[in-house]
Amino acid sequence: MANTKENILHTALRLFARDGYEAASVSDIAGELGMTKGALYKHYKNKRDIFDSIVKRMYEIDVERAKKYEVPEETFDKSPSAYRNTAVDKIKVFIEAQFYFLTEDEFASNFRKMLTLEQYRNPEIMELYQKCFVSGPVSYMEDLFREMMEQGIWNKSNPKQLAVEFYAPLYLLVSVSDTTPDKKEAGKLLAAHIERFIEKNSILRKQKE
């Protein structure tokens, strides 16, 4: 039962990423799996239930990855202390890992493509796309930079502007990577960007030098 439910989830996401959430029907998903709609409905109530389960799974993965890389799991208002105690090098490793996760992990890549396709057709998905890939990450980095400034380990500046400058190359390179199977070159460009950014803004890095 568990395997069937997982297969439905992953198959649906692949179809949503290829054709769009609105275009792919429950019949399409069932047909792709070689099962009847009735059999599918034993596991999920409807297409929206499948979509909600995909989003929930993505959030769970994000939390697990944040724990793994020792960076804040929640927003600043829910966990301010986590933002005040995150090392610069942890952020560097996490962001570099995020690039490969978003471009090479099948679930994450299809999730991103699904939201990209649907964002201009569905206001709710537009909001979700912004939260996951645009305004959400920028706010996350803004809070991190602001707290690092308060801790005296980051040069004083406009944290929102810094967040945009830091995140924009990642956003761009993830999009560029969609056109090529080789992610290494884009990954190298991102790593170089992050290193230069830290050298420019980290007070601790300059003190060590």
Side-chain angles (χ1 to χ4, degrees):
M1 290 286 286
N3 286 340
T4 300
K5 195 164 186 175
E6 281 294 296
N7 287 338
I8 294 170
L9 198 71
H10 286 268
T11 299
L13 180 55
R14 283 196 297 272
L15 292 180
F16 295 161
R18 187 189 71 189
D19 304 328
Y21 171 72
E22 294 295 341
S25 67
V26 172
S27 295
D28 293 331
I29 298 166
E32 191 79 9
L33 288 160
M35 65 194 307
T36 65
K37 288 171 62 176
L40 187 150
Y41 286 136
K42 293 179 181 178
H43 302 278
Y44 295 98
K45 293 181 291 185
N46 47 43
K47 188 171 75 167
R48 178 60 194 235
D49 189 25
I50 297 173
F51 177 82
D52 289 342
S53 297
I54 288 170
V55 174
K56 180 183 177 183
R57 174 66 58 81
M58 193 67 214
Y59 283 160
E60 291 170 347
I61 293 172
D62 282 344
V63 169
E64 290 170 4
R65 288 179 56 75
K67 288 179 179 177
K68 176 181 177 180
Y69 290 98
E70 299 178 1
V71 296
E73 303 161 27
E74 299 183 295
T75 56
F76 178 78
D77 60 318
K78 293 181 180 179
S79 182
S81 62
Y83 287 78
R84 294 173 186 139
N85 297 288
T86 301
V88 174
D89 288 342
K90 299 286 187 184
I91 297 170
K92 178 180 184 295
V93 173
F94 174 65
I95 296 299
E96 289 181 17
Q98 278 296 89
F99 168 78
Y100 290 104
F101 173 64
L102 291 172
T103 58
E104 295 184 343
D105 181 88
E106 182 181 8
F107 194 91
S109 180
N110 282 336
F111 181 78
R112 178 173 56 84
K113 291 172 182 176
M114 173 186 70
L115 298 192
T116 301
L117 280 176
E118 289 297 322
Q119 63 176 316
Y120 299 111
R121 292 193 283 254
N122 185 317
E124 181 185 359
I125 294 181
M126 166 68 85
E127 184 177 347
L128 184 59
Y129 177 83
Q130 287 287 320
K131 180 180 179 181
C132 293
F133 300 114
V134 189
S135 59
V138 170
S139 294
Y140 181 87
M141 296 311 305
E142 178 186 358
D143 290 334
L144 279 169
F145 291 151
R146 185 189 63 251
E147 293 308 305
M148 288 193 291
M149 290 175 197
E150 291 296 321
Q151 296 297 315
I153 62 174
W154 203 250
N155 287 331
K156 292 284 186 179
S157 185
N158 183 321
K160 180 177 283 294
Q161 183 64 43
L162 280 184
V164 171
E165 291 175 9
F166 181 78
Y167 182 70
L170 170 62
Y171 184 84
L172 173 64
L173 290 169
V174 166
S175 297
V176 168
S177 73
D178 286 336
T179 65
T180 175
D182 184 6
K183 319 298 182 190
K184 291 181 180 178
E185 186 59 34
K188 289 178 182 177
L189 288 171
L190 178 64
H193 158 67
I194 294 172
E195 187 60 30
R196 284 196 302 270
F197 192 89
I198 291 174
E199 287 178 358
K200 179 182 177 182
N201 293 285
S202 174
I203 294 174
L204 290 181
R205 181 69 66 86
K206 290 177 181 178
Q207 289 175 346
K208 290 180 181 180
E209 294 172 353

